[in-house]
Amino acid sequence: MHFELQKQDSWSSARRGVVHTRRGTIQTPAFMPVGTFGAVRTLDLADLQSLNPDIILGNTYHLMLRPGVEVFNHFGGIHGFIGWEKPVLTDSGGYQIFCLPHHRTITEEGARFRSYHDGRFFMLSPEKSIEVQTAIGSDIMMVLDQCIESTADINATRKAMEITHRWALRSLEARSDATQALFAIVQGGVDEALRYESVDFLTQHPFDGFAIGGLAVGETKREREDFTELVAARLPQNKPRYLMGVGTPIDLLEAVRRGVDMFDCVIPTMYAERGKVFTSQGKKNVLPVANRLSDQPLDPECECSTCRQYSLGYLNHLSKCEEPTGWRLLALHNQHYYQHLMRQIRNAIETDSFESLYRDLTRQWTAPLSPRRADINSSVNYY
Ligand SMILES: [Zn+2]
């Protein structure tokens, strides 16, 4: 795998690049739809192909418990199992383990935890995580890391960072197929010196890319942006940078501006389940009764199949009834919105217009509602 840096924005740290993997290229900045269990929730393969992301993400922790390594070995990895032919990135399971504070023990060896599925105990070590990701056959693997709350004290943060470094080297050692790329994860909480130390340690080793981990876990938005900027600026120019688990459209735009290339987040599907969508007019709630008789599309400027075929009134009805089709149609729209946003960002960097796109979008997303407009369109919330 290698990263081709095509253009550096002159106004900001935004960059346009291409990640070349064994299953094709990823145009960056890129957003990866999350397929936790080997499916992007509510979408089938044809939906996914129509959205056409260059890469999707799977969760090692969940896929290890179900269906398990044996199934991936039988089907020839996740590509053979789910029918997706383009690149797949798998996370290492570190974040999911972090989310189980009462059901896991972290030692030097790895994380011992009890399965939420059948109560059995599992040991997820760096080597085990690589073994599972090898069976899944992902094109980009992540090292197992110890994620910790941003609000943890300095000693605990240092300890988690140091164990993450040792686990990263063990993961590198455990990789058996060099065509599977391996990304390391920078930790260090919200401490400047620790973040620098983490970058300086990890970048001495032959990882294919670097993720900025341990953010979106309790810090403020300002801290997240500052630490993204600080870490991205110290990472090498010739490797991709991935901000894990982030975020809303504005979060993505802010991180691209600070030099991040890759993102993943469950927000597009999670918001869809709650009747919320991102539109060219801001964030919109489909559920209010004011939408009941609307024969307008969700977003008049959107070209997704949901906006082309269905009225807001119908989507309001389906969402209120908690009809799975409603969830699916909104998820399709939100995923389309994210892919479209990334295309706009890539084009803007290419044509030296990222600054004007940034200003247009932030103005659009933060514009205060005029009383008249608020009255007419009470379901619109701006972020
Ligand atoms: Zn749409």
Side-chain angles (χ1 to χ4, degrees):
M1 193 205 91
H2 74 277
F3 178 67
E4 180 193 341
L5 178 60
Q6 293 188 323
K7 182 136 186 181
Q8 178 69 61
D9 184 44
S10 53
W11 170 73
S12 70
S13 300
R15 40 198 229 148
R16 174 76 177 87
V18 185
V19 180
H20 296 267
T21 78
R22 61 182 187 175
R23 276 196 181 80
T25 55
I26 304 154
Q27 304 295 325
T28 65
F31 179 78
M32 304 183 273
V34 177
T36 303
F37 291 100
V40 177
R41 193 154 287 176
T42 75
L43 307 186
D44 69 8
L45 186 61
D47 295 332
L48 206 52
Q49 284 163 340
S50 75
L51 290 165
N52 203 25
D54 287 337
I55 179 169
I56 61 170
L57 180 140
N59 288 99
T60 298
Y61 167 77
H62 293 291
L63 294 172
M64 174 176 89
L65 299 180
R66 285 185 300 180
V69 165
E70 189 193 357
V71 171
F72 287 111
N73 285 336
H74 174 79
F75 283 93
I78 194 164
H79 295 85
F81 193 41
I82 72 173
W84 174 253
E85 291 176 347
K86 296 208 281 182
V88 171
L89 179 146
T90 39
D91 70 4
S92 61
Y95 181 74
Q96 281 71 33
I97 299 287
F98 161 74
C99 296
L100 303 168
H102 305 298
H103 304 280
R104 47 104 165 126
T105 328
I106 310 268
T107 60
E108 189 65 34
E109 188 192 355
R112 188 168 184 269
F113 67 94
R114 189 192 275 273
S115 161
Y116 64 88
H117 174 50
D118 55 14
R120 277 189 298 155
F121 278 100
F122 279 85
M123 165 56 80
L124 187 63
S125 63
E127 292 80 8
K128 180 70 183 174
S129 178
I130 294 294
E131 183 193 321
V132 176
Q133 294 183 77
T134 303
I136 293 172
S138 51
D139 306 288
I140 302 177
M141 305 187 288
M142 302 301 300
V143 301
L144 186 67
D145 65 326
Q146 190 186 347
C147 196
I148 189 166
E149 294 87 355
S150 307
T151 48
D153 69 57
I154 184 99
N155 292 330
T157 307
R158 167 170 283 285
K159 214 169 145 223
M161 179 195 77
E162 287 174 349
I163 206 164
T164 294
H165 292 172
R166 291 191 294 272
W167 285 2
L169 297 189
R170 280 167 57 188
S171 303
L172 204 52
E173 192 67 28
R175 174 168 63 166
S176 56
D177 179 355
T179 69
Q180 282 184 291
L182 181 63
F183 282 18
I185 304 175
V186 174
Q187 288 289 353
V190 287
D191 185 88
E192 204 175 305
L194 287 185
R195 284 281 173 179
Y196 284 149
E197 192 178 326
S198 190
V199 172
D200 293 347
F201 177 86
L202 293 169
T203 52
Q204 288 171 37
H205 300 279
F207 293 103
D208 301 290
F210 297 94
I212 306 171
L215 291 178
V217 285
E219 75 287 348
T220 63
K221 180 172 157 49
R222 181 64 193 269
E223 282 175 324
R224 180 160 80 232
E225 289 173 359
D226 288 351
F227 278 87
T228 299
E229 185 166 348
L230 179 131
V231 172
R234 204 170 176 97
L235 284 169
Q237 285 284 329
N238 63 345
K239 301 274 172 84
R241 305 161 184 167
Y242 163 29
L243 182 57
M244 303 175 81
V246 174
T248 61
I250 188 94
D251 293 334
L252 266 55
L253 188 69
E254 293 291 355
V256 165
R257 184 188 169 189
R258 289 163 173 80
V260 174
D261 307 303
M262 297 168 69
F263 303 90
D264 77 285
C265 195
V266 294
I267 280 181
T269 6
M270 197 176 78
Y271 274 38
E273 189 185 8
R274 298 172 187 171
K276 290 191 173 140
V277 289
F278 298 99
T279 75
S280 58
Q281 304 152 325
K283 198 165 71 180
K284 199 182 270 192
N285 187 347
V286 171
L287 289 165
V289 69
N291 294 325
R292 193 165 161 253
L293 298 177
S294 172
D295 46 17
Q296 295 299 304
L298 273 180
D299 180 354
E301 288 180 29
C302 178
E303 291 174 351
C304 84
S305 55
T306 300
C307 292
R308 277 192 279 108
Q309 296 179 85
Y310 303 102
S311 65
L312 180 52
Y314 180 52
L315 298 167
N316 163 268
H317 160 70
L318 292 180
S319 298
K320 275 202 296 212
C321 298
E322 296 181 7
E323 166 60 48
T325 301
W327 182 6
R328 175 171 170 273
L329 295 177
L330 298 190
L332 265 170
H333 166 84
N334 279 346
Q335 294 286 359
H336 181 275
Y337 182 90
Y338 270 64
Q339 292 303 322
H340 178 66
L341 173 66
M342 300 321 280
R343 273 194 298 275
Q344 280 182 295
I345 288 174
R346 291 194 295 267
N347 289 340
I349 302 171
E350 278 169 24
T351 55
D352 269 327
S353 55
F354 181 71
E355 180 180 4
S356 84
L357 178 72
Y358 174 87
R359 296 202 189 286
D360 285 351
L361 289 176
T362 47
R363 196 180 309 122
Q364 207 179 81
W365 291 338
T366 54
L369 287 173
S370 69
R372 184 174 151 70
R373 212 167 148 204
D375 188 41
I376 293 168
N377 201 348
S378 60
S379 62
V380 174
N381 299 308
Y382 288 83
Y383 26 87

